Amino acid sequence: MPGTPDPEARLTVVADNETCVTSNLCVNRLPQVFGQDEDGCVVVLDPHPSADLGRELLRARRSCPTRSIRVEGLEED
């Protein structure tokens, strides 16, 4: 079915902790994918999450105030 994510598909999540301003929005939205280091900067806990998380990953990326999150392999809505 078109538009249905393949549950076996994997995405690639990259976060730039050099530009992160520790807003925690990504961590609050997807704690299974994002965490924080001792300084509060973003850390990617799962760099290849299931495509089932695509919608939430887009929301996390869009809510990042510094655009420090990149998701590869995901089509925009």
Side-chain angles (χ1 to χ4, degrees), residues 17-30:
N17 65 0
E18 295 294 318
T19 58
C20 177
V21 293
T22 67
S23 71
N24 304 325
L25 296 172
C26 58
V27 177
N28 290 333
R29 184 169 297 282
L30 283 169

Side-chain angles (χ1 to χ4, degrees), residues 3-11 30 32 48-57 74:
T4 303
D6 177 355
E8 299 300 314
R10 295 286 175 187
L11 306 171
L30 283 169
Q32 68 270 43
H48 301 289
S50 167
D52 290 341
L53 294 177
R55 184 177 302 273
E56 287 303 310
L57 284 164
L74 187 62

Side-chain angles (χ1 to χ4, degrees), residues 10-74:
R10 295 286 175 187
L11 306 171
T12 300
V13 178
V14 179
D16 184 351
N17 65 0
E18 295 294 318
T19 58
C20 177
V21 293
T22 67
S23 71
N24 304 325
L25 296 172
C26 58
V27 177
N28 290 333
R29 184 169 297 282
L30 283 169
Q32 68 270 43
V33 176
F34 300 104
Q36 294 176 283
D37 66 13
E38 62 277 353
D39 295 322
C41 290
V42 65
V43 174
V44 178
L45 303 175
D46 183 1
H48 301 289
S50 167
D52 290 341
L53 294 177
R55 184 177 302 273
E56 287 303 310
L57 284 164
L58 276 177
R59 288 182 179 146
R61 188 192 60 141
R62 289 176 183 151
S63 68
C64 178
T66 58
R67 303 290 188 236
S68 297
I69 296 169
R70 192 172 77 241
V71 182
E72 298 171 359
L74 187 62

